[in-house]
Amino acid sequence: MPHVLSTSQFTKEEAERILSRAREMEAECASGNVAKLLKDKIIACIFFEPSTRTRLSFEAAAFRLGANVISAENAAENSSAHKGETIEDTARIVSSYADALVMRHYEAGAAQAAAAVISKPVINGGDGAHEHPTQGLLDLYTIHKEHGRLDGLSVAFVGDLKNSRTLHSLLPLLVQYSGNTFTFVSPDELRMPKEYTDELSKKGITFSETEDLESALKNADVVYMTRVQKERFESEEDYARVKDAFLLKPEHLTHIKPDAIIMHPLPRLNEIDHAIDADKRAAYFRQAENGLYVRMALLCYVFGL
Ligand code: NCD
């Protein structure tokens, strides 16, 4: 039974198979005729951190495919974790009730730890600041759908690059395609972790790091904004110093190419002015919808369907 723990587990071919399955799911949803491939399956969604899109799109994906869902939406408070139960024990118990476990946790490596002790598939819905592989895949799906290709793209990642797990999952997918280049735009204290930039250098991939948003926008095919991840900061003061670091405003649009797309995993706080929503380059709501199709494809993937 395969797990979904990190995007690094996928070859380019495997990732593309998931995208192509997601396209089938999108078409089935549009036709109103979705094959109930997961009939009789029970999917458990255990979320130790807040979520709107990830949990609800997974639950909707499961229902669309005919599965049933059991859910702990505030597991840090409402599950036995609150009494001190380990993630391994919680996973063991839940896996005896359900056929697959979708989980989000505040600790890096939590999904991996759960997967190590159970014989049912585990899907990582975000583990601390580490990874968010299902978001990485839906972002890849979105870029392909919007641009018609995944290579030769200039990508600007903006904001909290240190803590944004969605980027840590998307980057390894994008580097598998030739000719992609990256501009990392962040305050100094929120730079992309060195392990990721070292990997790019090792592979000879072109990238630059800057605090100059305007210049980074000029060549970008993809502008990927991120929220400053308040929950990962040690103090309110540290957060306050950088929380409004980069706001994309209507006047920036003149610097962005006419066929570029603006992405954001959402929720947005003060990163994208709402006046930008009406611009056709604003892809973030389309991106969120794509999550449903990609998560349907991923549920099928873990069951070998
Ligand atoms: C992201 C997350 O949880 O990492 N949200 C999401 O799943 N779409 C991004 C964020 O919370 O900023």
Side-chain angles (χ1 to χ4, degrees):
M1 287 266 182
H3 303 290
V4 179
L5 301 176
S6 157
T7 51
S8 307
Q9 76 186 67
F10 297 113
T11 63
K12 192 170 152 182
E13 291 68 34
E14 281 166 339
E16 282 177 3
R17 264 200 296 281
I18 290 164
L19 300 199
S20 115
R21 196 82 169 99
R23 280 188 280 277
E24 288 168 22
M25 293 299 165
E26 183 170 354
E28 285 190 28
C29 285
S31 75
N33 191 10
V34 181
K36 304 295 177 215
L37 296 174
L38 302 189
K39 193 172 159 287
D40 301 328
K41 298 269 191 261
I42 296 179
I43 311 298
C45 292
I46 312 294
F47 278 59
F48 294 83
E49 280 193 332
S51 170
T52 299
R53 281 148 287 272
T54 305
R55 188 174 63 83
L56 295 182
S57 64
F58 257 117
E59 295 191 3
F63 282 122
R64 294 251 179 241
L65 289 162
N68 290 300
V69 173
I70 54 173
S71 198
E73 61 177 75
N74 183 6
E77 293 292 318
N78 291 342
S79 77
S80 279
H82 192 59
K83 303 178 189 166
E85 186 167 64
T86 64
I87 188 63
E88 286 88 351
D89 281 2
T90 303
R92 282 187 185 101
I93 302 310
V94 175
S95 75
S96 65
Y97 306 148
D99 301 294
L101 174 51
V102 180
M103 65 173 272
R104 167 171 289 184
H105 200 278
Y106 43 82
E107 269 173 22
Q112 180 94 45
V117 296
I118 65 174
S119 57
K120 306 269 174 73
V122 174
I123 300 180
N124 180 6
D127 61 328
H130 179 226
E131 277 222 39
H132 192 348
T134 71
Q135 178 79 38
L137 285 161
L138 81 85
D139 291 344
L140 195 71
Y141 183 82
T142 301
I143 295 169
H144 185 266
K145 191 168 155 188
E146 300 274 336
H147 272 300
R149 68 180 203 281
L150 290 168
D151 55 3
L153 295 165
S154 163
V155 182
F157 285 143
V158 184
D160 185 352
L161 314 187
K162 177 180 175 205
N163 297 303
S164 282
R165 54 192 175 196
T166 72
L167 301 185
H168 304 163
S169 286
L170 176 57
L171 184 64
L173 291 168
L174 284 174
V175 301
Q176 300 200 34
Y177 293 86
S178 64
N180 289 335
T181 58
F182 302 91
T183 309
F184 299 118
V185 188
S186 74
D188 191 48
E189 55 268 62
L190 299 180
R191 281 164 69 169
M192 200 70 179
K194 203 169 151 341
E195 67 205 84
Y196 293 93
T197 48
D198 281 353
E199 190 65 20
L200 295 181
S201 306
K202 214 167 79 197
K203 293 197 159 97
I205 293 167
T206 306
F207 72 93
S208 61
E209 297 182 274
T210 177
E211 298 200 28
D212 180 358
L213 176 62
E214 219 164 276
S215 74
L217 295 176
K218 292 205 168 79
N219 287 318
D221 301 300
V222 175
V223 177
Y224 193 118
M225 305 298 294
T226 60
R227 174 179 70 89
V228 177
Q229 307 280 298
K230 183 177 185 195
E231 59 276 38
R232 312 283 175 229
F233 282 74
E234 305 238 319
S235 74
E236 188 70 43
E237 298 82 71
D238 289 351
Y239 171 66
R241 231 189 343 267
V242 287
K243 74 182 175 63
D244 297 321
F246 296 105
L247 169 62
L248 201 62
K249 298 192 267 280
E251 50 267 41
H252 284 123
L253 289 173
T254 54
H255 302 292
I256 301 179
K257 295 205 288 196
D259 61 347
I261 55 168
I262 302 165
M263 298 177 69
H264 192 305
L266 305 177
R268 77 171 141 183
L269 297 181
N270 199 20
E271 305 86 48
I272 302 180
D273 191 310
H274 290 227
I276 289 181
D277 298 358
D279 192 282
K280 73 172 183 23
R281 289 166 286 185
Y284 29 93
F285 297 122
R286 301 192 290 274
Q287 178 185 358
E289 179 187 329
N290 292 335
L292 174 67
Y293 314 126
V294 171
R295 289 174 174 133
M296 289 172 77
L298 284 168
L299 285 174
C300 292
Y301 166 79
V302 296
F303 290 112
L305 295 168

